[in-house]
Amino acid sequence: MRIASVSASGRGETDRFLADLAATLEREGKRTVGVVKDLGHQSAFENGCDMKVRVLPDGPAIAITQALGPGSDACRLDPAGIAEAVILVTKRGVRDADVFILNKFGPEEAEGRGFRAAIAEAIENDVPVLVGLGAGANTHKGFAAFTGDMAETLPADLGAVLTWVSG
């Protein structure tokens, strides 16, 4: 089983790192599956919390947050958007991939939903899994509960992660 997490310091830096990693792997001819944040999406909110993910390798981009109106400044995940992304990733197939990338192991995964089944399928088929972890303690606790002591923590260093993927 090869599963690892990565976190970069600074708001949005883990998203940027994973999107750059996916692009690099794709240029190298690697088959990537999973999702990364759509960095081209311009948020309509000051807090940047309306978000889209890009299904790897070539889209589409899917909104995974709900629009709660002009008075709201909270992030609100959209389970339907996440389910749509999961379905597309699963339909494209995980088994023959070179790497599975998940932009963030979040609340859905911590609760047993979201991309957990796709992660499990990747692991069962010896596909390395790399997930982004946010700064929140709950994210780290949820990931640790899911992986036990089986996950590695990688630095947000392109060379180190490329070596791990090829490992």
Side-chain angles (χ1 to χ4, degrees), residues 107-123:
E108 288 291 299
E109 289 75 27
E111 293 295 323
R113 299 180 298 268
F115 283 92
R116 276 184 69 155
I119 292 169
E121 182 181 355
I123 290 169

Side-chain angles (χ1 to χ4, degrees), residues 19-75:
D20 289 347
L21 171 70
T24 299
L25 288 165
E26 291 161 13
R27 279 193 303 275
E28 292 180 355
K30 302 287 187 193
R31 182 167 182 266
T32 61
V33 296
V35 294
V36 294
K37 184 174 181 180
D38 177 7
L39 298 179
H41 173 69
Q42 295 296 317
S43 176
F45 301 99
E46 280 187 37
N47 67 1
C49 276
D50 65 324
M51 183 174 140
K52 290 185 176 184
V53 292
R54 180 175 60 91
V55 177
L56 296 172
D58 55 3
I62 298 171
I64 62 165
T65 53
Q66 301 175 62
L68 298 178
S72 175
D73 65 353
C75 285

Side-chain angles (χ1 to χ4, degrees), residues 130-161:
L130 181 64
V131 302
L133 288 182
N138 288 339
T139 301
H140 288 266
K141 285 180 186 175
F143 184 68
F146 177 61
T147 62
D149 62 354
M150 304 299 281
E152 297 177 56
T153 301
L154 300 176
D157 174 82
L158 189 60
V161 175

Side-chain angles (χ1 to χ4, degrees), residues 80-103:
I82 293 171
E84 181 182 354
V86 170
I87 289 167
L88 285 173
V89 168
T90 303
K91 279 185 178 179
R92 290 182 181 189
V94 172
R95 295 172 193 244
D96 299 322
D98 293 308
V99 63
F100 180 99
I101 301 172
L102 177 59
N103 68 307

